[in-house]
Every structure is written in structure tokens, then in C-alpha cells.
Amino acid sequence: MKSINDSVKKDFTYKWVMQLVILIGFIIIGRGMYKYFSEKKEVYDNRNYTSGTIIDYDLIPRSGAYEVKYKYFVEDEEYVNVNGIDRIMCKNCIGKKYKVIYSKKNPEKSFLLATEKMFKDFGIPIPKKMEIGGTVK
């Protein structure tokens, strides 16, 4: 027969483990957010622009967000990057060209400017045409 102490100990251990799991989750999310915002700040503070071509575009499972992979050139060197992004309004996004903002200090740090939100996030005026050589919507 189980004593009340055993039940209390199990309950206490379960709560402690759950609190630890939640704390670790917050730390992981916090580090990810810090990396994202510090990278975004570096790009903004050292900004330069080029055009980039979408090479892959997929829905991120269970998130409702999209992931876009694109390539761009800075001083004849090719870079490839991946960003989470809101849905781009295009039927076949692969091969489409959009403006890319990147860091002059670290050109591998960049963001594809393919949605109004991305332009707003960087405080850049929203163009009438998002896609280079075409329109969005």
C-alpha cells in the first residue's frame, strides 16, 4: 500500500520536472529570439541591398508560417539564406526575384524583402511592386 508521503513525493517530483522543462523551453526560445533580433539589428545598422532569387518555398509544418530559401550575390560571391516569412502571394514562387537587405559587415546575414511586413519591420517604404519584374497580388 502506498503511503501519502510517496504520493506527495511523486507529485512534487512531477511538478519540479515540468517546471524545469518549461524553463528550458523558455531559454531555448529566448536564445532564438535574441539571435533573430540581434541579426536583424546588425543587418539594419550595416544595411545594403541587392536582389535575390527564391530557390525553395515551403510551409513549415504545424506553424502556418512559410520558409523561403533564396540566393543572392554580393561582389560576385553567391550567398544562400533561409528565412521564416509570411505567405508570399505568388503561384510558383521559385525563380521569382525580390529585394534582399544584407549586412555590409557580414553579407551572409540577410532578409528577403518579399512582404509588406518585412519592409515595415526594417522601416523601409513599401514599394508598389514587391517582386522585381512583377507585382504581388
Side-chain angles (χ1 to χ4, degrees):
M1 187 169 179
K2 292 184 179 180
S3 71
I4 293 177
N5 274 344
D6 289 342
S7 179
V8 170
K9 284 180 185 178
K10 278 187 179 180
D11 191 42
F12 175 77
T13 302
Y14 174 77
K15 286 180 181 178
W16 185 83
V17 168
M18 288 307 298
Q19 288 174 349
L20 185 61
V21 167
I22 290 170
L23 177 63
I24 291 170
F26 278 125
I27 290 170
I28 291 169
I29 290 169
R31 287 190 69 202
M33 289 177 65
Y34 174 78
K35 181 181 182 286
Y36 172 78
F37 286 111
S38 64
E39 187 169 304
K40 200 170 190 178
K41 180 179 178 352
E42 180 185 329
V43 168
Y44 181 78
D45 290 345
N46 301 289
R47 65 188 169 276
N48 207 0
Y49 303 93
T50 188
S51 63
T53 304
I54 295 177
I55 56 177
D56 197 15
Y57 179 70
D58 284 314
L59 179 65
I60 300 170
R62 296 183 305 271
S63 73
Y66 288 81
E67 184 175 79
V68 64
K69 184 176 186 179
Y70 56 98
K71 67 178 179 179
Y72 58 101
F73 291 88
V74 175
E75 298 178 8
D76 295 327
E77 188 169 340
E78 182 180 71
Y79 295 89
V80 175
N81 203 351
V82 177
N83 295 151
I85 195 166
D86 293 337
R87 185 168 191 254
I88 303 172
M89 301 305 286
C90 58
K91 290 182 182 178
N92 181 8
C93 296
I94 296 173
K96 304 279 185 183
K97 293 184 181 289
Y98 292 90
K99 192 177 220 180
V100 172
I101 185 172
Y102 69 92
S103 168
K104 287 184 268 188
K105 282 175 53 177
N106 297 308
E108 67 277 358
K109 294 182 179 183
S110 68
F111 293 89
L112 185 73
L113 299 173
T115 65
E116 287 185 11
K117 182 182 181 313
M118 290 304 291
F119 279 90
K120 288 178 183 176
D121 284 354
F122 283 101
I124 303 168
I126 299 167
K128 290 183 183 182
K129 292 182 177 183
M130 297 279 182
E131 179 187 336
I132 297 172
T135 59
V136 175
K137 296 178 187 172

